[in-house]
Amino acid sequence: MNIRYLCKDYAVAAQIAPADVAGLKEQGFATLVCNRPDGEAGDQPPFAAIAAEARRHGVEVVHLPVVPGRITDADRAAFVALYAAAPKPILGFCRTGMRAETLFKDTKNEPGGASR
């Protein structure tokens, strides 16, 4: 799995599977954020399966699905609130990691957003 850190407290990756959660916990991630709507693709594990595994390992998990290329101001505001409140470090993921990266970059200079 290719994990890219955008700052010390936030990294992005492509779609994860429930079997990845234990390893992500071992790498120190405290929160997982899924930016992919359920059912977007046939090979995508349901968010509930990832969430159940995360909870089993004591990892916070949040579902903030966004549509590719159509991230709204409401999505950005939700991400800022989530980022401010979530235990760190956070791993954001979606199909390729691009939505997770875009949310971070779009909000990093907002009050409550991430700073480098």
Side-chain angles (χ1 to χ4, degrees):
M1 173 183 316
N2 182 23
I3 296 174
R4 292 183 302 114
Y5 279 84
L6 304 182
C7 73
K8 71 180 181 71
D9 288 330
Y10 188 78
V12 298
Q15 179 68 55
I16 67 168
D20 297 325
V21 173
L24 293 168
K25 167 79 174 185
E26 288 175 10
Q27 291 178 56
F29 287 102
T31 302
L32 304 177
V33 178
C34 176
N35 295 129
R36 197 169 187 195
D38 258 345
E40 186 176 65
D43 62 346
Q44 170 188 355
F47 174 74
I50 294 169
E53 193 66 12
R55 288 185 196 103
R56 194 168 82 76
H57 288 282
V59 175
E60 296 287 322
V61 62
V62 180
H63 196 206
L64 179 61
V66 297
V67 177
R70 296 194 335 226
I71 295 175
T72 67
D73 288 342
D75 296 330
R76 290 179 189 93
F79 180 80
V80 167
L82 176 159
Y83 187 89
K88 316 270 186 310
I90 300 168
L91 177 70
F93 67 92
C94 56
R95 186 177 68 81
T96 65
M98 184 55 67
R99 284 171 270 187
E101 182 174 346
T102 299
L103 280 167
F104 176 84
K105 287 182 174 180
D106 283 358
T107 61
K108 70 181 180 185
N109 295 319
E110 296 294 319
S115 61
R116 292 188 176 238

XYZ file of all heavy atoms in Angstrom:
863
model
N 0.840 -1.175 0.000
C 0.000 0.000 0.000
C 0.888 1.242 0.000
O 1.823 1.335 0.784
C -0.891 -0.037 1.253
C -1.679 1.222 1.440
S -2.685 1.278 2.956
C -3.409 -0.324 2.986
N 0.565 2.161 -0.877
C 1.315 3.409 -0.978
C 0.623 4.467 -0.123
O -0.485 4.893 -0.444
C 1.398 3.854 -2.444
C 2.204 5.116 -2.605
O 3.035 5.453 -1.777
N 1.945 5.835 -3.683
N 1.271 4.879 0.959
C 0.745 5.911 1.846
C 1.613 7.150 1.669
O 2.830 7.081 1.765
C 0.771 5.438 3.314
C -0.168 4.241 3.479
C 0.394 6.580 4.252
C -0.115 3.605 4.857
N 0.943 8.282 1.408
C 1.662 9.552 1.214
C 1.249 10.529 2.314
O 0.080 10.842 2.461
C 1.340 10.158 -0.153
C 1.899 9.357 -1.298
C 1.632 9.996 -2.661
N 0.210 10.197 -2.903
C -0.385 11.377 -3.020
N 0.293 12.498 -2.926
N -1.676 11.463 -3.246
N 2.243 10.992 3.063
C 1.982 11.986 4.100
C 1.949 13.374 3.471
O 2.874 13.763 2.763
C 3.065 11.942 5.180
C 2.827 10.849 6.180
C 3.243 9.554 5.942
C 2.133 11.118 7.365
C 3.008 8.538 6.856
C 1.893 10.111 8.281
C 2.330 8.827 8.020
O 2.089 7.829 8.925
N 0.869 14.125 3.763
C 0.759 15.500 3.299
C 1.205 16.476 4.387
O 1.515 17.623 4.094
C -0.669 15.799 2.856
C -1.221 14.860 1.770
C -2.626 15.284 1.368
C -0.304 14.809 0.555
N 1.203 16.012 5.619
C 1.769 16.716 6.765
C 1.978 15.652 7.840
O 1.648 14.487 7.626
C 0.867 17.864 7.248
S -0.631 17.354 8.103
N 2.494 16.032 8.974
C 2.796 15.004 9.982
C 1.558 14.300 10.513
O 1.646 13.170 10.994
C 3.614 15.592 11.128
C 2.867 16.522 12.048
C 3.775 17.037 13.155
C 3.053 17.936 14.106
N 2.105 17.239 14.964
N 0.394 14.936 10.428
C -0.821 14.360 11.000
C -1.824 13.835 9.977
O -2.900 13.377 10.363
C -1.542 15.404 11.865
C -0.815 15.672 13.166
O -0.144 14.749 13.669
O -0.918 16.798 13.678
N -1.499 13.910 8.682
C -2.472 13.497 7.665
C -1.767 12.847 6.479
O -0.818 13.400 5.922
C -3.289 14.700 7.177
C -4.435 14.318 6.279
C -5.607 13.800 6.787
C -4.336 14.467 4.900
C -6.665 13.432 5.959
C -5.384 14.107 4.063
C -6.546 13.592 4.605
O -7.583 13.233 3.782
N -2.278 11.679 6.139
C -1.752 10.940 4.992
C -2.920 10.458 4.144
O -4.067 10.405 4.611
C -0.921 9.745 5.467
N -2.611 10.103 2.904
C -3.645 9.613 1.992
C -3.200 8.301 1.363
O -2.006 8.020 1.243
C -3.981 10.637 0.890
C -4.546 11.916 1.487
C -2.772 10.944 0.022
N -4.204 7.524 0.966
C -3.949 6.244 0.306
C -5.139 5.915 -0.584
O -6.219 6.499 -0.453
C -3.763 5.137 1.343
N -4.918 4.953 -1.455
C -6.018 4.409 -2.252
C -6.871 3.524 -1.350
O -6.572 3.330 -0.170
C -5.446 3.617 -3.426
N -7.921 2.971 -1.918
C -8.867 2.129 -1.179
C -8.165 1.118 -0.285
O -7.243 0.434 -0.721
C -9.757 1.380 -2.173
C -10.772 0.458 -1.534
C -11.847 1.207 -0.764
O -12.505 2.066 -1.327
N -12.029 0.891 0.507
N -8.605 1.048 0.955
C -8.094 0.032 1.872
C -9.137 -1.075 2.011
O -10.296 -0.902 1.618
C -7.731 0.613 3.250
C -8.978 1.094 4.003
C -6.701 1.731 3.106
C -8.738 1.403 5.468
N -8.727 -2.188 2.572
C -9.610 -3.317 2.836
C -9.661 -3.545 4.344
O -8.756 -3.105 5.073
C -9.083 -4.568 2.135
N -10.677 -4.237 4.821
C -10.713 -4.532 6.255
C -9.428 -5.203 6.759
O -8.963 -4.904 7.862
C -11.921 -5.462 6.388
C -12.835 -5.039 5.274
C -11.894 -4.703 4.139
N -8.828 -6.048 5.949
C -7.596 -6.742 6.348
C -6.414 -5.792 6.532
O -5.418 -6.155 7.160
C -7.249 -7.818 5.318
N -6.501 -4.568 6.021
C -5.416 -3.586 6.147
C -5.427 -2.856 7.487
O -4.436 -2.240 7.875
C -5.513 -2.532 5.036
C -5.339 -3.103 3.653
O -4.543 -4.045 3.483
O -6.018 -2.598 2.722
N -6.549 -2.888 8.179
C -6.729 -2.041 9.356
C -5.715 -2.346 10.451
O -5.133 -1.434 11.040
C -8.176 -2.126 9.882
C -8.321 -1.393 11.207
C -9.146 -1.551 8.850
N -5.463 -3.600 10.747
C -4.509 -3.944 11.813
C -3.133 -3.356 11.506
O -2.476 -2.795 12.396
C -4.421 -5.453 11.992
N -2.683 -3.470 10.286
C -1.386 -2.912 9.901
C -1.359 -1.399 9.982
O -0.343 -0.804 10.360
N -2.460 -0.757 9.637
C -2.538 0.704 9.736
C -2.477 1.143 11.195
O -1.838 2.138 11.519
C -3.799 1.220 9.049
C -3.809 1.026 7.525
C -5.193 1.278 6.958
C -2.765 1.918 6.866
N -3.117 0.381 12.065
C -3.028 0.661 13.507
C -1.578 0.518 13.974
O -1.068 1.365 14.706
C -3.952 -0.299 14.267
C -3.748 -0.342 15.750
C -4.373 0.815 16.453
C -4.254 0.615 17.967
N -4.932 1.631 18.705
N -0.904 -0.540 13.520
C 0.499 -0.742 13.889
C 1.387 0.395 13.389
O 2.394 0.724 14.020
C 1.007 -2.069 13.332
C 0.452 -3.278 14.047
C 0.870 -4.592 13.406
O 1.744 -4.592 12.517
O 0.300 -5.627 13.803
N 1.016 0.996 12.266
C 1.773 2.135 11.734
C 1.464 3.429 12.482
O 2.071 4.454 12.206
C 1.476 2.313 10.242
C 2.048 1.195 9.392
C 1.700 1.384 7.933
O 2.000 2.428 7.348
N 1.059 0.396 7.332
N 0.501 3.370 13.391
C 0.223 4.508 14.252
C -1.002 5.329 13.908
O -1.285 6.317 14.589
N -1.745 4.946 12.878
C -2.917 5.749 12.521
C -3.990 5.620 13.593
O -4.319 4.530 14.047
C -3.469 5.350 11.152
C -2.593 5.812 10.029
C -1.753 4.918 9.392
C -2.572 7.146 9.659
C -0.907 5.347 8.375
C -1.728 7.586 8.653
C -0.893 6.679 8.008
N -4.528 6.770 14.009
C -5.556 6.813 15.039
C -6.952 6.961 14.456
O -7.934 6.594 15.094
C -5.284 7.968 15.998
N -7.037 7.526 13.247
C -8.332 7.746 12.592
C -8.221 7.396 11.119
O -7.232 7.743 10.461
C -8.778 9.222 12.721
O -8.850 9.577 14.100
C -10.128 9.466 12.074
N -9.254 6.736 10.600
C -9.379 6.442 9.174
C -10.583 7.203 8.646
O -11.656 7.172 9.266
C -9.580 4.945 8.942
C -8.526 4.015 9.524
C -8.915 2.560 9.281
C -7.156 4.317 8.944
N -10.414 7.890 7.514
C -11.502 8.645 6.909
C -11.716 8.136 5.495
O -10.818 8.229 4.650
C -11.201 10.163 6.877
C -12.346 10.916 6.197
C -10.963 10.694 8.272
N -12.916 7.611 5.242
C -13.271 7.119 3.916
C -14.011 8.214 3.161
O -15.067 8.669 3.602
C -14.158 5.876 4.035
S -14.732 5.277 2.431
N -13.469 8.616 2.018
C -14.093 9.647 1.189
C -14.795 9.060 -0.026
O -15.099 9.769 -0.981
C -13.056 10.674 0.729
C -12.474 11.444 1.879
O -11.263 11.540 2.020
N -13.314 11.998 2.731
N -15.087 7.782 0.023
C -15.688 7.089 -1.113
C -17.123 6.670 -0.782
O -17.355 6.009 0.224
C -14.846 5.857 -1.420
C -15.098 5.279 -2.764
C -14.046 4.254 -3.084
N -14.230 3.830 -4.455
C -13.690 2.766 -4.976
N -12.906 1.998 -4.249
N -13.912 2.452 -6.225
N -18.085 7.029 -1.638
C -19.449 6.548 -1.399
C -19.511 5.025 -1.495
O -18.833 4.418 -2.322
C -20.261 7.180 -2.533
C -19.434 8.327 -3.028
C -18.002 7.919 -2.801
N -20.301 4.407 -0.625
C -20.504 2.958 -0.709
C -21.096 2.603 -2.074
O -21.910 3.356 -2.618
C -21.453 2.484 0.395
C -20.732 1.838 1.561
O -19.535 1.499 1.417
O -21.359 1.674 2.606
N -20.673 1.470 -2.615
C -21.223 0.994 -3.871
C -20.707 1.700 -5.103
O -21.248 1.529 -6.192
N -19.659 2.483 -4.967
C -19.108 3.214 -6.116
C -18.552 2.253 -7.166
O -18.612 2.527 -8.358
C -18.022 4.173 -5.631
C -17.480 5.092 -6.692
C -16.481 6.077 -6.133
O -15.388 5.649 -5.672
O -16.794 7.276 -6.140
N -18.017 1.127 -6.719
C -17.465 0.121 -7.638
C -17.705 -1.266 -7.044
O -17.782 -1.427 -5.821
C -15.975 0.346 -7.856
N -17.796 -2.246 -7.902
C -18.086 -3.601 -7.468
C -17.010 -4.242 -6.621
O -17.304 -5.115 -5.802
N -15.764 -3.816 -6.794
C -14.666 -4.430 -6.041
C -14.358 -3.701 -4.732
O -13.424 -4.038 -4.027
C -13.397 -4.475 -6.907
C -12.908 -3.090 -7.313
O -13.652 -2.098 -7.163
O -11.763 -3.003 -7.796
N -15.167 -2.735 -4.383
C -14.954 -1.911 -3.202
C -15.575 -2.573 -1.969
O -16.744 -2.929 -1.989
C -15.614 -0.558 -3.462
C -15.718 0.355 -2.295
C -16.561 1.584 -2.632
O -16.975 1.776 -3.757
N -16.807 2.399 -1.635
N -14.813 -2.724 -0.890
C -15.426 -3.267 0.328
C -16.412 -2.250 0.914
O -16.185 -1.043 0.828
C -14.248 -3.486 1.268
C -13.156 -2.629 0.753
C -13.400 -2.423 -0.714
N -17.491 -2.712 1.520
C -18.427 -1.764 2.137
C -17.782 -1.042 3.313
O -16.975 -1.628 4.047
C -19.601 -2.635 2.594
C -19.147 -4.043 2.493
C -17.922 -4.092 1.638
N -18.159 0.208 3.487
C -17.611 0.982 4.587
C -17.870 0.290 5.927
O -17.011 0.282 6.805
C -18.191 2.400 4.613
C -17.750 3.178 5.816
C -16.457 3.663 5.913
C -18.609 3.389 6.881
C -16.019 4.358 7.035
C -18.192 4.085 8.015
C -16.900 4.570 8.085
N -19.036 -0.310 6.094
C -19.373 -0.968 7.366
C -18.362 -2.044 7.738
O -18.050 -2.225 8.919
C -20.781 -1.557 7.293
N -17.831 -2.756 6.757
C -16.839 -3.805 7.037
C -15.522 -3.190 7.525
O -14.895 -3.701 8.460
C -16.603 -4.656 5.793
N -15.117 -2.095 6.903
C -13.895 -1.405 7.335
C -14.117 -0.797 8.722
O -13.258 -0.899 9.601
C -13.487 -0.328 6.315
C -13.074 -0.997 4.997
C -12.370 0.559 6.858
C -12.911 -0.052 3.837
N -15.283 -0.205 8.931
C -15.590 0.418 10.215
C -15.591 -0.613 11.343
O -15.057 -0.355 12.432
C -16.935 1.128 10.139
N -16.164 -1.768 11.101
C -16.202 -2.806 12.133
C -14.789 -3.250 12.512
O -14.475 -3.415 13.698
C -17.022 -3.996 11.649
N -13.954 -3.424 11.527
C -12.571 -3.841 11.789
C -11.802 -2.731 12.509
O -11.019 -2.991 13.425
C -11.885 -4.221 10.477
C -10.595 -4.941 10.645
C -10.708 -6.316 11.281
O -11.811 -6.865 11.425
O -9.644 -6.858 11.652
N -12.032 -1.478 12.112
C -11.367 -0.355 12.777
C -11.767 -0.302 14.257
O -10.907 -0.168 15.133
C -11.716 0.947 12.073
N -13.042 -0.429 14.524
C -13.500 -0.386 15.914
C -12.908 -1.541 16.721
O -12.560 -1.381 17.887
C -15.027 -0.408 15.960
C -15.628 0.905 15.507
C -17.138 0.945 15.672
N -17.674 2.036 14.892
C -18.289 1.888 13.716
N -18.489 0.707 13.191
N -18.729 2.953 13.077
N -12.798 -2.697 16.091
C -12.221 -3.865 16.758
C -10.775 -3.609 17.184
O -10.299 -4.134 18.187
C -12.291 -5.072 15.801
C -12.031 -6.399 16.468
C -12.391 -7.546 15.555
N -11.372 -7.871 14.582
C -10.255 -8.531 14.846
N -9.987 -8.907 16.069
N -9.395 -8.800 13.898
N -10.084 -2.771 16.425
C -8.679 -2.450 16.717
C -8.511 -1.125 17.452
O -7.384 -0.644 17.620
C -7.875 -2.431 15.408
C -7.670 -3.786 14.835
N -6.730 -4.666 15.308
C -8.315 -4.435 13.840
C -6.786 -5.790 14.621
N -7.746 -5.682 13.734
N -9.620 -0.503 17.850
C -9.532 0.747 18.599
C -9.147 1.948 17.763
O -8.574 2.909 18.277
N -9.482 1.905 16.474
C -9.172 3.010 15.564
C -10.475 3.751 15.270
O -11.494 3.123 14.960
C -8.549 2.482 14.249
C -8.324 3.605 13.250
C -7.246 1.745 14.540
N -10.442 5.075 15.363
C -11.610 5.876 14.983
C -11.816 5.744 13.476
O -10.855 5.605 12.718
C -11.388 7.351 15.326
C -11.255 7.629 16.794
C -12.575 7.518 17.528
O -13.617 7.920 16.981
O -12.544 7.015 18.657
N -13.067 5.818 13.051
C -13.361 5.706 11.626
C -14.531 6.619 11.283
O -15.487 6.733 12.050
C -13.636 4.234 11.233
C -14.841 3.681 11.955
C -13.772 4.063 9.740
N -14.387 7.337 10.155
C -15.401 8.304 9.733
C -15.677 8.106 8.248
O -14.744 7.911 7.454
C -14.908 9.755 9.962
C -15.951 10.766 9.524
C -14.518 9.965 11.418
N -16.952 8.182 7.891
C -17.345 8.098 6.481
C -17.765 9.487 6.030
O -18.777 10.017 6.483
C -18.498 7.102 6.329
C -18.728 6.664 4.936
N -19.943 6.219 4.495
C -17.899 6.569 3.870
C -19.853 5.868 3.221
N -18.619 6.086 2.826
N -16.959 10.095 5.179
C -17.251 11.405 4.598
C -17.182 11.253 3.080
O -16.209 11.658 2.441
C -16.253 12.452 5.101
C -16.415 13.869 4.563
C -17.781 14.447 4.932
C -15.302 14.758 5.064
N -18.207 10.617 2.487
C -18.151 10.349 1.041
C -18.320 11.622 0.222
O -19.152 12.475 0.552
C -19.322 9.392 0.824
C -20.276 9.677 1.928
C -19.432 10.116 3.092
N -17.491 11.757 -0.801
C -17.594 12.881 -1.732
C -17.554 12.350 -3.163
O -16.958 11.314 -3.433
C -16.491 13.940 -1.503
C -16.628 14.571 -0.120
C -15.116 13.368 -1.663
N -18.180 13.092 -4.058
C -18.241 12.711 -5.463
C -16.994 13.249 -6.162
O -16.661 14.433 -6.008
C -19.524 13.272 -6.118
C -19.566 12.938 -7.599
C -20.755 12.734 -5.402
N -16.302 12.414 -6.932
C -15.090 12.891 -7.612
C -15.376 14.107 -8.499
O -16.365 14.132 -9.233
C -14.661 11.707 -8.486
C -15.384 10.526 -7.952
C -16.610 11.031 -7.264
N -14.534 15.116 -8.366
C -14.658 16.311 -9.195
C -15.795 17.236 -8.800
O -16.015 18.260 -9.450
N -16.523 16.884 -7.726
C -17.662 17.718 -7.316
C -17.683 17.904 -5.801
O -18.726 17.809 -5.166
C -18.969 17.107 -7.803
C -19.029 17.072 -9.308
C -20.384 16.811 -9.912
N -21.339 16.101 -9.111
C -22.076 15.095 -9.537
N -21.943 14.649 -10.764
N -22.956 14.519 -8.748
N -16.537 18.178 -5.233
C -16.455 18.425 -3.793
C -17.101 19.776 -3.511
O -16.789 20.777 -4.158
C -14.993 18.383 -3.311
C -14.440 16.960 -3.494
C -14.888 18.835 -1.862
C -12.975 16.809 -3.169
N -18.016 19.799 -2.556
C -18.789 21.005 -2.260
C -18.214 21.752 -1.058
O -17.386 21.223 -0.307
C -20.248 20.629 -1.950
O -20.271 19.886 -0.708
C -20.877 19.799 -3.065
N -18.711 22.976 -0.858
C -18.323 23.736 0.334
C -18.757 23.004 1.599
O -18.051 23.043 2.608
C -18.925 25.138 0.298
C -18.249 26.029 -0.740
O -17.128 25.700 -1.184
O -18.849 27.063 -1.098
N -19.901 22.320 1.555
C -20.358 21.548 2.712
C -19.395 20.393 3.001
O -19.117 20.092 4.168
C -21.776 21.023 2.476
N -18.876 19.735 1.953
C -17.885 18.674 2.131
C -16.635 19.232 2.794
O -16.076 18.622 3.712
C -17.486 18.048 0.790
C -18.609 17.334 0.076
O -19.524 16.807 0.739
O -18.558 17.299 -1.179
N -16.194 20.386 2.323
C -14.995 21.012 2.885
C -15.196 21.377 4.355
O -14.325 21.151 5.190
C -14.611 22.235 2.069
C -14.085 21.910 0.686
C -13.735 23.185 -0.110
N -13.442 22.853 -1.475
C -14.338 22.859 -2.472
N -15.594 23.224 -2.238
N -13.983 22.524 -3.701
N -16.355 21.952 4.669
C -16.647 22.328 6.056
C -16.695 21.087 6.950
O -16.186 21.118 8.081
C -17.966 23.095 6.131
N -17.274 20.017 6.455
C -17.330 18.777 7.232
C -15.928 18.232 7.472
O -15.617 17.737 8.562
C -18.198 17.747 6.516
N -15.063 18.343 6.464
C -13.697 17.866 6.624
C -12.944 18.698 7.664
O -12.216 18.150 8.494
C -12.945 17.869 5.288
C -11.531 17.388 5.429
C -11.251 16.030 5.502
C -10.476 18.283 5.528
C -9.945 15.576 5.672
C -9.173 17.844 5.692
C -8.902 16.484 5.766
N -13.107 20.016 7.634
C -12.433 20.872 8.609
C -12.852 20.482 10.031
O -12.009 20.336 10.922
C -12.717 22.366 8.344
C -12.284 23.244 9.509
C -12.011 22.818 7.071
N -14.147 20.281 10.240
C -14.635 19.896 11.570
C -14.086 18.537 11.971
O -13.652 18.338 13.110
C -16.159 19.891 11.577
N -14.107 17.607 11.047
C -13.587 16.263 11.298
C -12.100 16.325 11.641
O -11.657 15.729 12.615
C -13.820 15.428 10.040
C -13.305 14.024 9.943
C -14.097 13.299 8.874
C -11.848 13.951 9.633
N -11.338 17.064 10.835
C -9.893 17.156 11.054
C -9.589 17.754 12.428
O -8.703 17.282 13.135
C -9.231 17.984 9.951
C -7.724 17.956 10.052
C -7.007 16.960 9.414
C -7.026 18.887 10.804
C -5.623 16.893 9.523
C -5.648 18.831 10.923
C -4.957 17.838 10.285
O -3.592 17.766 10.404
N -10.323 18.781 12.812
C -10.071 19.437 14.090
C -10.346 18.497 15.266
O -9.642 18.535 16.273
C -10.927 20.696 14.209
N -11.353 17.638 15.133
C -11.786 16.803 16.254
C -11.146 15.419 16.300
O -11.078 14.810 17.365
C -13.304 16.641 16.200
N -10.684 14.920 15.185
C -10.233 13.524 15.098
C -8.879 13.307 15.760
O -7.981 14.152 15.659
C -10.146 13.094 13.632
N -8.719 12.151 16.412
C -7.387 11.776 16.898
C -6.417 11.662 15.712
O -6.808 11.221 14.632
C -7.619 10.413 17.554
C -9.080 10.357 17.856
C -9.735 11.163 16.772
N -5.200 12.052 15.922
C -4.193 12.056 14.869
C -3.154 10.977 15.130
O -2.943 10.623 16.278
C -3.504 13.420 14.795
C -4.417 14.616 14.891
C -4.928 15.090 13.589
C -5.720 16.371 13.621
N -6.793 16.514 14.565
N -2.460 10.531 14.125
C -2.568 10.898 12.715
C -3.792 10.263 12.045
O -4.336 9.266 12.508
C -1.274 10.391 12.095
C -0.812 9.299 12.976
C -1.325 9.627 14.356
N -4.179 10.893 10.947
C -5.349 10.498 10.170
C -4.888 9.933 8.833
O -3.994 10.495 8.197
C -6.258 11.712 9.905
C -6.735 12.334 11.213
C -7.434 11.339 8.999
C -7.396 13.693 11.048
N -5.544 8.865 8.396
C -5.367 8.367 7.029
C -6.679 8.576 6.295
O -7.710 8.029 6.680
C -5.006 6.881 6.998
C -4.885 6.302 5.585
C -3.649 6.848 4.874
C -4.877 4.791 5.600
N -6.636 9.394 5.245
C -7.787 9.582 4.367
C -7.624 8.675 3.161
O -6.528 8.552 2.619
N -8.720 8.038 2.743
C -8.628 7.153 1.583
C -9.875 7.225 0.717
O -10.952 7.601 1.173
C -8.342 5.706 2.010
C -9.466 5.040 2.759
C -10.420 4.299 2.085
C -9.556 5.147 4.133
C -11.460 3.681 2.769
C -10.585 4.535 4.837
C -11.546 3.797 4.154
N -9.692 6.884 -0.541
C -10.763 6.774 -1.527
C -10.235 5.841 -2.622
O -9.293 5.099 -2.377
C -11.183 8.143 -2.050
S -9.829 9.108 -2.770
N -10.793 5.885 -3.803
C -10.345 4.946 -4.838
C -8.857 5.104 -5.132
O -8.113 4.135 -5.171
C -11.163 5.109 -6.125
C -10.826 4.040 -7.169
C -11.672 4.161 -8.407
N -11.382 5.353 -9.179
C -10.366 5.472 -10.035
N -9.539 4.485 -10.233
N -10.173 6.596 -10.676
N -8.412 6.341 -5.351
C -6.999 6.579 -5.669
C -6.270 7.414 -4.624
O -5.053 7.552 -4.686
C -6.859 7.323 -7.017
O -7.433 8.637 -6.871
C -7.534 6.569 -8.155
N -7.008 8.024 -3.707
C -6.432 8.946 -2.727
C -6.606 10.401 -3.120
O -6.351 11.300 -2.323
N -7.076 10.656 -4.338
C -7.170 12.035 -4.834
C -8.219 12.862 -4.086
O -7.984 14.021 -3.760
C -7.468 12.042 -6.333
C -7.474 13.433 -6.936
S -5.959 14.387 -6.666
C -4.807 13.460 -7.637
N -9.380 12.290 -3.806
C -10.405 13.056 -3.072
C -9.915 13.387 -1.665
O -10.127 14.501 -1.168
C -11.718 12.276 -2.996
C -12.472 12.294 -4.305
C -13.638 11.352 -4.266
N -13.184 10.043 -4.733
C -13.976 9.012 -4.961
N -15.277 9.115 -4.738
N -13.492 7.884 -5.403
N -9.263 12.409 -1.016
C -8.727 12.642 0.324
C -7.676 13.749 0.292
O -7.626 14.603 1.186
C -8.141 11.344 0.876
N -6.856 13.749 -0.733
C -5.832 14.791 -0.881
C -6.464 16.147 -1.184
O -6.058 17.175 -0.627
C -4.848 14.408 -1.984
C -3.744 15.408 -2.169
C -2.677 14.957 -3.159
O -2.632 13.770 -3.529
O -1.865 15.815 -3.558
N -7.454 16.169 -2.057
C -8.106 17.421 -2.434
C -8.782 18.077 -1.236
O -8.659 19.294 -1.042
C -9.121 17.184 -3.569
O -8.425 16.665 -4.703
C -9.844 18.464 -3.956
N -9.484 17.301 -0.427
C -10.122 17.864 0.766
C -9.089 18.513 1.683
O -9.288 19.613 2.186
C -10.889 16.785 1.526
C -12.257 16.434 0.972
C -12.768 15.145 1.596
C -13.235 17.573 1.187
N -7.970 17.839 1.879
C -6.913 18.382 2.727
C -6.355 19.682 2.133
O -6.263 20.703 2.819
C -5.795 17.358 2.888
C -4.625 17.878 3.670
C -4.636 17.845 5.050
C -3.523 18.401 3.024
C -3.557 18.341 5.773
C -2.438 18.898 3.736
C -2.456 18.868 5.115
N -5.989 19.649 0.877
C -5.376 20.825 0.248
C -6.343 21.998 0.169
O -5.935 23.152 0.342
C -4.848 20.471 -1.134
C -3.599 19.616 -1.064
C -3.045 19.315 -2.433
C -1.718 18.583 -2.319
N -1.148 18.280 -3.643
N -7.622 21.720 -0.079
C -8.619 22.788 -0.175
C -8.877 23.467 1.162
O -9.386 24.586 1.196
C -9.961 22.239 -0.684
C -9.992 21.988 -2.178
O -8.989 22.256 -2.873
O -11.044 21.489 -2.652
N -8.583 22.791 2.261
C -8.970 23.315 3.576
C -7.796 23.589 4.516
O -8.021 24.057 5.632
C -9.929 22.328 4.278
O -9.258 21.080 4.476
C -11.199 22.127 3.472
N -6.584 23.331 4.079
C -5.461 23.420 5.016
C -5.258 24.815 5.585
O -4.716 24.967 6.682
C -4.179 22.896 4.391
C -3.619 23.762 3.304
C -2.361 23.146 2.734
C -1.827 24.029 1.639
N -0.704 23.428 0.982
N -5.683 25.848 4.886
C -5.510 27.209 5.384
C -6.766 27.792 6.025
O -6.784 28.953 6.415
C -5.024 28.132 4.262
C -3.636 27.718 3.791
O -2.777 27.375 4.603
N -3.419 27.734 2.494
N -7.815 26.976 6.126
C -9.055 27.407 6.767
C -8.885 27.380 8.289
O -8.127 26.583 8.812
C -10.211 26.469 6.378
C -10.557 26.478 4.912
C -11.124 27.788 4.447
O -11.932 28.389 5.178
O -10.744 28.231 3.347
N -9.627 28.225 9.003
C -9.607 28.133 10.473
C -10.030 26.721 10.885
O -11.046 26.214 10.439
C -10.632 29.171 10.916
C -10.710 30.142 9.779
C -10.472 29.314 8.530
N -9.206 26.065 11.672
C -9.476 24.701 12.083
C -8.914 23.664 11.125
O -8.875 22.485 11.423
N -8.470 24.110 9.951
C -7.893 23.183 8.978
C -6.461 22.826 9.344
O -5.888 23.361 10.301
N -5.911 21.936 8.580
C -4.542 21.488 8.835
C -3.560 22.566 8.395
O -3.791 23.263 7.427
C -4.280 20.204 8.060
N -2.492 22.675 9.113
C -1.398 23.539 8.664
C -0.172 22.679 8.511
O -0.028 21.658 9.147
C -1.156 24.666 9.675
O -0.794 24.116 10.920
N 0.669 23.053 7.626
C 1.859 22.250 7.353
C 2.786 22.436 8.484
O 3.549 22.263 9.046
C 2.494 22.655 6.045
C 1.594 22.272 4.924
C 2.268 22.482 3.605
N 1.357 21.994 2.607
C 1.628 21.054 1.743
N 2.784 20.491 1.717
N 0.746 20.673 0.869
